[in-house]
């Protein structure tokens, strides 16, 4: 994909939403980087803030708005010297989109990158699985429309089970989350045999734990990782 060399750019990562997803993102960055020694990895600044108010609750009107805290954290990373930013949380981008143009450095947008990855894997469309907040916000549907990409949305009953799987991963019960997600996905595939777009950064962890075939999912964590590596190793 890229030449082995030491990146001259610094990546700033706003994590903690949730911590396991951010840790997996950093693992993927290290595992997929085109390097042969420590010094060829990118300098990465991580600001992990699990105290950011729940994004889905805010979208659904039952929780505190996290916009100002997200903005403060991203400006902090830029102030530390990050050349570009990444946030391994899909739902947070509903709020980040409000002030993205005010950021002093570029943001690699997880939703835009995931929609692009889904289009390359399955031009005919994909099942969209995400938090209830992301689903209700229409974020992925809007970014899909920009690319003329169709997402298929499960029933509210299925969406609730997906939310439960996400919450199990957040509570360090990944195996249980994977078992629950497996049952959901197998039923969706009976209805329409399309890849799963894991549009919440906990869902790739649950999907990996489920034993389902990896070639039938589009990971938002993976899409963000690949985009960051392209920026770091142009």
């Amino acid at each position: 994909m890229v030449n082995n060399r030491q990146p001259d750019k610094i990546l700033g990562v706003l994590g903690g939403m949730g911590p396991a997803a951010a840790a997996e993102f950093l693992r993927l960055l290290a595992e997929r980087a085109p390097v042969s020694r420590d010094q060829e990895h990118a300098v990465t600044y991580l600001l992990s803030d699990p105290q950011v108010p729940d994004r889905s609750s805010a979208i659904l009107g039952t929780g505190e708005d996290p916009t100002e805290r997200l903005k403060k954290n991203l400006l902090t990373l830029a102030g530390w010297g990050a050349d570009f930013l990444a946030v391994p949380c899909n739902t947070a981008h509903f709020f980040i989109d409000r002030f993205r143009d005010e950021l002093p450095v570029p943001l690699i947008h997880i939703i835009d990158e995931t929609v692009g990855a889904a289009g390359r894997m399955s031009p005919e469309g994909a099942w969209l699985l995400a938090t209830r907040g992301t689903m209700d916000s229409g974020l992925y549907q809007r970014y899909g429309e920009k690319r003329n990409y169709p997402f298929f949305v499960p029933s509210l009953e299925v969406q609730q089970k997906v939310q439960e799987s996400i919450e199990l991963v957040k509570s360090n019960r990944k195996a249980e989350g994977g078992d629950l997600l497996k049952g959901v996905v197998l039923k969706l595939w009976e209805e329409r045999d399309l890849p799963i777009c894991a549009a919440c950064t906990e869902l790739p962890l649950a999907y990996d734990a489920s034993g389902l075939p990896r070639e039938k999912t589009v990971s938002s964590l993976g899409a963000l990782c690949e985009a960051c590596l392209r920026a770091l190793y142009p």
Side-chain angles (χ1 to χ4, degrees), residues 14-18 49 52-56 58-59 65-71 73-74 86-100 107 109-111 131 133-134 137 139-140 170 199-202:
L14 175 55
M17 302 174 285
D49 185 4
V52 173
D54 186 75
R55 284 68 60 198
S56 282
I59 291 171
D65 188 332
T67 302
E68 289 306 313
R69 189 161 185 142
L70 290 167
K71 184 176 180 180
N73 286 339
L74 289 169
V87 184
C89 172
N90 288 272
T91 315
H93 286 67
F94 174 81
F95 306 96
I96 292 171
D97 279 354
R98 297 174 176 177
F99 60 82
R100 183 181 181 183
L107 173 83
H109 201 286
I110 189 171
I111 296 172
T131 64
T134 295
S137 74
L139 267 174
Y140 266 86
K170 286 181 177 290
C200 167
T201 50
E202 273 76 33

Side-chain angles (χ1 to χ4, degrees), residues 141-170:
Q141 294 91 324
R142 288 199 298 275
Y143 276 86
E145 287 172 4
K146 291 178 184 179
R147 295 174 178 258
N148 294 315
Y149 187 76
F151 282 111
F152 294 89
V153 177
S155 67
L156 286 176
E157 179 183 358
V158 169
Q159 290 180 39
Q160 183 56 43
K161 290 182 179 178
V162 172
Q163 182 66 41
E164 291 172 17
S165 174
I166 292 166
E167 291 169 0
L168 285 167
V169 174
K170 286 181 177 290

Side-chain angles (χ1 to χ4, degrees), residues 162-210:
V162 172
Q163 182 66 41
E164 291 172 17
S165 174
I166 292 166
E167 291 169 0
L168 285 167
V169 174
K170 286 181 177 290
S171 62
N172 290 328
R173 297 159 67 188
K174 187 167 62 175
E176 294 174 61
D179 287 342
L180 179 57
L181 184 65
K182 183 175 183 178
V184 166
V185 169
L186 290 176
K187 285 188 177 298
L188 290 176
W189 282 342
E190 289 177 5
E191 182 178 341
R192 194 183 298 267
D193 188 15
L194 289 172
I196 299 300
C197 182
C200 167
T201 50
E202 273 76 33
L203 285 176
L205 295 166
Y207 193 97
D208 285 348
S210 72

Side-chain angles (χ1 to χ4, degrees), residues 116-131:
R120 291 188 292 273
M121 173 184 281
S122 175
E124 63 272 25
W127 283 107
L128 180 63
L129 303 189
T131 64

